[in-house]
Amino acid sequence: MGRVPVLVADWLRSALDFALPPRCPGCGVIVADVHIFCADCWKQVEFLGDSGCHSCGLPLEATEQTTCGRCLGKPPRIARMRAAVAYDDLSRGLAIRLKYGRKVAIARTMAHYMAPLVRPEGEAILIPVPLHRTRLWTRGFNQSALVASELSRRLKVPANPLLLRRTRRTPPLKGMSPVQRRKTVAGAFRIADKAAVAGKTVILVDDVLTTGSTAEACASVLKRAGAARVELVTWARVVKPSQLMR
Ligand SMILES: [Zn+2]
Ligand SMILES: [Zn+2]
């Protein structure tokens, strides 16, 4: 019985999605099909695709083969990082509207471009980067959990937003140096059920990747809980270091 309202809400949402004309996820003008950017926005979006370092995804130097020198020197805790697009005003706008605007439609658009970048190895599970419960209460939902559930639907990989918890409220990392960021998020996460991640490939899902310090902190507790491999997929990624301070 408890599921009925959810089903009705789902049905209403699908009916509405069907009835409303599709809009450009970048600027909102009416477009021919869902998830498609209008011509102006399309020119602006920088899709990152699957090029770059096999592990961290950053652009490779001409001399490097498939893995960058940094990842070869010290294998990163997150075995594979991928982002659909570069972080700029347009992709940032989508991330903001995912938090405050047409949530489900935006989450679907993001998942549409993120899903092809996920190649789960072995038994995999999608885990959104969690919010602290006080932030969850004020916002009412975790935007990354919405994207994870859309990815789950597309990839047929289970998603669980409850396995990883944020036990400490951390201040916004904006404007902090990479070292400050690492210190701020260290020890802020906990696994609710270690058996549920042990031996699995965990695919962390987040909206924006900046320095990766939050995802690193998540990966460290996941590895300690016995996860075989941790990957990260995000909507946007900061590729210009100057944007970190914004
Ligand atoms: Zn547009
Ligand atoms: Zn690398």
Side-chain angles (χ1 to χ4, degrees):
M1 281 303 281
R3 285 188 57 81
V4 170
V6 177
L7 289 175
V8 170
D10 265 354
W11 178 85
L12 272 175
R13 204 166 61 196
S14 316
L16 266 176
D17 279 350
F18 186 72
L20 293 171
R23 288 182 179 274
C24 168
C27 68
V29 303
I30 291 173
V31 286
D33 208 351
V34 283
H35 312 308
I36 302 297
F37 288 91
C38 74
D40 283 345
C41 289
W42 187 264
K43 272 182 268 170
Q44 200 193 316
V45 184
E46 190 188 333
F47 290 100
L48 297 175
D50 210 3
S51 62
C53 169
H54 185 74
S55 185
C56 70
L58 287 173
L60 289 165
E61 308 275 338
T63 50
E64 294 166 333
Q65 299 287 311
T66 55
T67 306
C68 77
R70 238 172 16 151
C71 291
L72 279 177
K74 185 172 181 276
R77 211 174 265 148
I78 300 173
R80 190 166 181 271
M81 286 196 217
R82 288 294 180 273
V85 299
Y87 184 80
D88 60 10
D89 286 342
L90 192 143
S91 62
R92 181 168 151 265
L94 253 78
I96 290 170
R97 274 185 294 132
L98 175 68
K99 287 179 194 161
Y100 307 108
R102 297 178 63 197
K103 303 190 283 266
V104 175
I106 298 285
R108 282 191 187 157
T109 297
M110 289 180 176
H112 173 80
Y113 292 102
M114 288 159 75
L117 302 171
V118 181
R119 302 218 188 83
E121 282 179 22
E123 197 183 348
I125 182 165
L126 292 153
I127 299 186
V129 169
L131 296 176
H132 188 257
R133 64 176 189 284
T134 52
R135 190 158 301 163
L136 196 59
W137 282 335
T138 47
R139 194 179 294 160
F141 71 100
N142 174 358
Q143 73 279 8
S144 301
L146 272 186
V147 179
S149 104
E150 290 299 329
L151 280 172
S152 169
R153 224 163 44 95
R154 283 172 180 270
L155 298 164
K156 310 281 181 274
V157 168
N160 191 329
L162 302 174
L163 282 178
L164 188 61
R165 305 274 170 88
R166 199 184 279 247
T167 51
R168 199 151 47 72
R169 220 192 143 147
T170 49
L173 303 180
K174 223 181 229 176
M176 288 188 192
S177 72
V179 175
Q180 284 173 317
R181 283 167 188 251
R182 257 199 309 279
K183 280 191 184 151
T184 307
V185 292
F189 299 93
R190 189 176 62 81
I191 309 284
D193 178 6
K194 291 186 178 166
V197 298
K200 291 185 186 164
T201 294
V202 174
I203 301 152
L204 286 167
V205 179
D206 210 352
D207 50 0
V208 178
L209 168 61
T210 50
T211 60
S213 48
T214 303
E216 283 269 338
C218 293
S220 117
V221 289
L222 286 162
K223 281 288 186 73
R224 254 181 288 153
R229 180 182 165 90
V230 179
E231 302 188 5
L232 171 70
V233 64
T234 68
W235 158 244
R237 172 176 205 159
V238 171
V239 273
K240 296 188 195 86
S242 62
Q243 291 171 322
L244 283 180
M245 294 305 184
R246 287 174 60 183

